[in-house]
């Protein structure tokens, strides 16, 4: 991933500069690295602490929250340039300005011969204080003219929900589990489409070791490292006993560009491979063998697959979506006949049309208090019975009167939900979106759970 918020940290007389690593990258999935050059001896005149060592530091998005008594797993991939004498890396948690060190762990660096040789360095950090605005630093004991390349850096709490490796944040996962969801839709709607087709969500880049996950830019305008990948979602669904509704890309991005025919085949292949990853036999399927290597030899269960997102809302998709949906659905049904498919609906009829077979169509509505109250009976007259698909109300919210979530909006949504329950013979599933948002970057209102580094609360 790009260097993002990493910044140079000078120490004592240890100067240096940072730059993109150019051709020195860990592998084909990691197309960026940071090069840290050292131009003066950090030992000159002695040094009082590890903060006198030069390096690079990251404050995260809104400060790195660290808690006294908690434990954190720090990991970095680094390569010492051939001929460099850099001998030690110190991983540490510091105050935002480096005036205090909360935890520090020195690890020896491995010299390179011939070509830069990448190695992973890991340490456990135990902070001696609580600070909601700390920073994570990589400091090097290096000589003049030394160069070190850096890639794939992570800092994660050791405690996770159900103690899963690379698992979910405990308090947020517990809040979701406490709602006892019968089903969850993931990884999202617009999220799977991508800002361009090149950036579209690809499950294959989100599984396996973290250092092999390339990450991507999403439609919401931020970089996702994909450390919460397809496997982590599947494991979370299993842990909270929730059915999985997995969303796959239908060959389109978020700006009206779509493909069909031969150009759609990679998306068909990816959709099928995702189900194979989750449910196939590791002895006979490559992607299932990756699942087994990650620790889950037994198959997961995916009950539902949504194909595409909101293609009914744009005429740009109208010629592409029905045949694209049909091609993807036919492939998935042939391999997994018990999986239920979800098509994009237009809130008025069972689009994409009677000539396309599907089990459910989705219903999205973001409206006002008055709309939800006045339309609580909207499903009473919908067709049902043989030949009619079920309804999945998978995105709905009062976005006109809700602010950041209030009781008035909650009442409007509750009134409308009485219509969902009254028509349960037709409306089989419902889900609220978005589920989670960081308090510092709330691009969409309202959201079900709002959180920051230390706290979380649910909206009405």
């Amino acid at each position: 991933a790009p260097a993002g918020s990493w910044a140079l940290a000078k120490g004592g007389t240890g100067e240096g500069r940072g730059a993109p690593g150019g051709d020195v990258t860990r592998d084909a999935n990691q197309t960026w690295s940071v090069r840290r050059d050292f131009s003066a001896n950090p030992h000159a005149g002695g040094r009082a602490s590890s903060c006198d060592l030069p390096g690079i530091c990251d404050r995260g998005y809104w400060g790195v929250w660290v808690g006294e008594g908690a434990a954190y797993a720090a990991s970095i991939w680094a390569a010492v340039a051939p001929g460099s004498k850099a001998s030690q890396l110190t991983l540490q948690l510091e105050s935002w300005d480096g005036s205090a060190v909360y935890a520090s762990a020195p690890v020896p660096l491995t010299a390179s011969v011939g070509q830069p040789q990448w190695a992973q360095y890991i340490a456990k950090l135990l902070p001696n204080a609580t600070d909601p605005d700390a920073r994570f630093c990589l400091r090097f004991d290096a000589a003049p003219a030394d160069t070190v390349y850096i890639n794939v850096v992570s800092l994660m709490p050791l405690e996770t929900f159900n103690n899963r490796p690379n698992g979910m944040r405990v308090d947020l996962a517990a809040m979701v589990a406490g709602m006892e969801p019968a089903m969850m839709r993931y990884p999202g709607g617009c999220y799977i489409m991508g800002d361009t087709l090149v950036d579209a969500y690809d499950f294959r880049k989100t599984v396996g070791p973290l250092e092999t996950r390339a990450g991507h830019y999403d439609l919401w305008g931020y970089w996702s490292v994909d450390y919460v990948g397809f496997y982590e979602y599947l494991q979370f669904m299993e842990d909270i006993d929730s059915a999985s509704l997995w969303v796959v890309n239908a060959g389109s991005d978020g700006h009206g560009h779509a493909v069909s025919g031969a150009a759609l085949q990679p998306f068909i292949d990816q959709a099928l491979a995702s189900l194979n990853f989750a449910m196939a036999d590791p002895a006979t399927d490559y992607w299932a063998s990756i699942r087994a290597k990650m620790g889950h030899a037994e198959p997961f269960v995916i009950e539902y697959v949504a194909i595409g997102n909101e293609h009914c809302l744009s005429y740009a998709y109208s010629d592409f979506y029905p045949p694209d949906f049909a091609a993807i659905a036919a492939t998935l049904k042939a391999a997994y006949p018990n999986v239920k498919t979800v098509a994009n609906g237009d809130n008025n009829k069972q689009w994409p049309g009677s000539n396309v077979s599907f089990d459910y169509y989705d219903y999205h509505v973001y409206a006002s208090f008055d709309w939800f109250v006045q339309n609580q009976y909207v499903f009473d007259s919908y067709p049902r019975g043989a030949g009619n698909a079920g309804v999945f109300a998978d995105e709905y919210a009062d976005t006109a009167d809700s602010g950041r979530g209030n009781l008035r909006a909650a009442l409007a949504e509750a009134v409308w939900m009485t219509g969902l329950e009254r028509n349960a013979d037709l409306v089989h599933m419902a889900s609220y979106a978005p589920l989670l948002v960081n308090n510092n970057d709330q691009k969409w209102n309202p959201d079900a759970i709002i959180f920051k580094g230390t706290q979380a609360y649910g909206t009405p």
Side-chain angles (χ1 to χ4, degrees), residues 142-202:
D146 277 357
T147 295
V148 178
Y149 299 95
I150 304 158
N151 191 231
V152 194
V153 182
S154 68
L155 177 72
M156 299 288 287
L158 280 177
E159 183 185 12
T160 62
F161 186 73
N162 272 17
N163 294 314
R164 298 295 183 187
N166 191 44
M168 304 294 183
R169 178 171 145 177
V170 174
D171 59 336
L172 300 182
M175 288 184 72
V176 174
M179 293 189 284
E180 300 182 356
M183 169 277 305
M184 285 186 63
R185 172 179 177 249
Y186 63 90
C190 293
Y191 184 75
I192 59 102
M193 300 171 75
D195 196 44
T196 68
L197 281 174
V198 173
D199 298 320
Y201 186 89
D202 185 343

Side-chain angles (χ1 to χ4, degrees), residues 25 39 70 89 114 148 155 161 196 199 216 266 283 326 369 378 392 430 444:
T25 56
S39 57
L89 160 68
V148 178
L155 177 72
F161 186 73
T196 68
D199 298 320
H216 72 287
F369 178 96
V378 66
F392 172 34
W444 185 275

Side-chain angles (χ1 to χ4, degrees), residues 18-241:
D23 294 334
V24 183
T25 56
R26 207 195 67 81
D27 62 19
N29 293 317
Q30 301 296 340
T31 57
W32 269 78
S33 67
V34 171
R35 187 183 74 237
R36 183 61 160 100
D37 298 320
F38 302 92
S39 57
N41 189 346
H43 287 302
R47 59 185 178 90
S49 73
S50 54
C51 280
D52 287 335
L53 290 171
I56 59 174
C57 295
D58 194 338
R59 294 180 63 190
Y61 285 100
W62 303 282
V64 176
W65 184 88
V66 297
E68 182 177 6
Y72 299 86
S75 170
I76 168 180
W77 285 79
V80 178
S84 293
K85 297 179 176 60
S87 60
Q88 183 171 281
L89 160 68
T90 300
L91 305 169
Q92 61 189 34
L93 296 170
E94 305 176 2
S95 59
W96 71 271
D97 59 357
S99 61
V101 176
Y102 305 129
S104 183
V107 293
L109 287 170
T110 302
S112 295
V113 178
Q115 296 293 326
Q117 296 171 0
W118 289 94
Q120 184 182 24
Y121 301 93
I122 57 176
K124 182 166 70 171
L125 297 176
L126 305 171
N128 58 12
T130 295
D131 187 345
D133 191 22
R135 68 182 187 180
F136 179 44
C137 291
L138 315 174
R139 294 188 176 275
F140 297 88
D141 198 343
D146 277 357
T147 295
V148 178
Y149 299 95
I150 304 158
N151 191 231
V152 194
V153 182
S154 68
L155 177 72
M156 299 288 287
L158 280 177
E159 183 185 12
T160 62
F161 186 73
N162 272 17
N163 294 314
R164 298 295 183 187
N166 191 44
M168 304 294 183
R169 178 171 145 177
V170 174
D171 59 336
L172 300 182
M175 288 184 72
V176 174
M179 293 189 284
E180 300 182 356
M183 169 277 305
M184 285 186 63
R185 172 179 177 249
Y186 63 90
C190 293
Y191 184 75
I192 59 102
M193 300 171 75
D195 196 44
T196 68
L197 281 174
V198 173
D199 298 320
Y201 186 89
D202 185 343
F203 93 93
R204 296 168 297 190
K205 298 177 181 180
T206 76
V207 298
L210 299 186
E211 64 269 18
T212 67
R213 302 185 189 185
H216 72 287
Y217 280 109
D218 69 20
L219 188 60
W220 295 108
Y222 64 86
W223 181 266
S224 174
V225 296
D226 291 326
Y227 284 7
V228 177
F230 188 31
Y231 179 88
E232 286 77 21
Y233 280 117
L234 288 165
Q235 185 63 76
F236 185 53
M237 297 303 104
E238 185 176 86
D239 285 345
I240 65 174
D241 194 26

